[in-house]
Amino acid sequence: MKAIALGINGFGYSVFADCSVPFMNSLFMSFPRGVVENRERLDAKSAWEVITEGLEGKVTLANIPVAEITAGVVSLPASISEPELEMGEILKAFSKVNEGIMLASVNSYDNIIRSGAGDRCAAAGTIDAYVRKLYELSDSFMLFSPFGEVLEGKRDVYGIYISTVPRPREDETVKLHELPGLIMMLLEAP
Amino acid sequence: MPDEIECLSYDELHEFIESAERAVVDFWAPWCAPCHVLHRMLIGLYSQFPNVQFARIDTQKYPMAAEEFEVYGLPTLIMFADGRAVNRVVGVPSRDYLIRALKELSMA
């Protein structure tokens, strides 16, 4: 059993309204979904410290932005703004995982929207194509964002959450500290 | 023109509907993923309809609003003309459908 939990920083449901992300859209329509709500830890480092809490040794970490050079089996500058390169490395690493959960962070999207230097929809499209490839390699899958986009200069506190495994309390938003437990549930998939 | 769609309380809802010639109320809840998609669509469109007032109400905070307006699924958009509900859109429509519905309302 092999699962991936992919966290895309700064990715909100606004992307589904503004851009073409056909594969994520099909996941959205097909699997249990929800909304991550995070009002306190709106930067990647502090959010990921909570998300990875208690998971060390239980999952394969990849590209976790807790330092300038990301931690885990994928190690890149946290300031990366090339989704193709970043997603390619994550895909390569997940291909080598035989069993268990890989928890990976995608940092380039948020870097692009915060700098305003790139095309957000083009980045989302690239990530979407790789999400499809990662999904095809996995038995169980979760897509989330620790926080939403920067829109009109303001950080959206709502992020996405889509998982092949149903979660308890679906009529509540997902809080950051609940993510480690939900990630471990990926191994409970039938 | 405000840069965000106003969030109403239940107490403000009636006054909003009655005071606007044409109004759209988005019934939503924070946990509802499609509600966030629809909200973004409305943010992108509302400035094109200056004679329509837009607002949203959180049905988790104010379930009596959902009860009163018979909202059984989220998101639900209710369109009002002269205080009377004239159209209802449940779920996330296509952008084209939404534009058509808003055009109809703005010309009502």
Side-chain angles (χ1 to χ4, degrees), chain B residues 2 10 14 18 25 30 33 47 54 60 69 73-74 76 83 86:
Chain B
Y10 182 60
H14 283 275
E18 281 153 24
V25 179
S47 61
F54 289 78
Q60 199 165 31
F69 288 90
L74 293 178
T76 290
V86 292

Side-chain angles (χ1 to χ4, degrees), chain A residues 19-41:
Chain A
C19 308
S20 173
V21 283
F23 188 70
M24 285 193 257
N25 203 41
S26 73
L27 294 177
F28 177 77
M29 302 305 284
S30 311
F31 291 108
R33 64 211 172 186
V35 175
V36 172
E37 183 177 5
N38 166 20
R39 294 178 182 276
E40 284 158 10
R41 292 174 175 257

Side-chain angles (χ1 to χ4, degrees), chain A residues 44 58 78-79 120 134 149:
Chain A
K58 293 182 184 164
S79 59
R120 120 183 208 266
L134 290 165
E149 298 210 50

Side-chain angles (χ1 to χ4, degrees), chain B residues 45-88:
Chain B
L45 289 173
Y46 78 91
S47 61
Q48 295 173 33
F49 301 93
N51 67 335
V52 179
Q53 303 297 308
F54 289 78
R56 59 198 316 230
I57 186 158
D58 178 348
T59 59
Q60 199 165 31
K61 227 170 175 176
Y62 305 107
M64 50 293 236
E67 183 194 22
E68 182 181 339
F69 288 90
E70 297 180 333
V71 171
Y72 299 122
L74 293 178
T76 290
L77 278 187
I78 305 183
M79 302 184 183
F80 297 89
D82 298 319
R84 197 168 50 87
V86 292
N87 196 3
R88 177 181 286 251

Side-chain angles (χ1 to χ4, degrees), chain A residues 58-86:
Chain A
K58 293 182 184 164
V59 304
T60 303
L61 298 173
N63 204 32
I64 306 301
V66 288
E68 276 177 36
I69 300 297
T70 60
V73 293
V74 173
S75 201
L76 294 165
S79 59
I80 190 168
S81 54
E82 295 153 79
E84 180 82 45
L85 169 66
E86 186 179 41

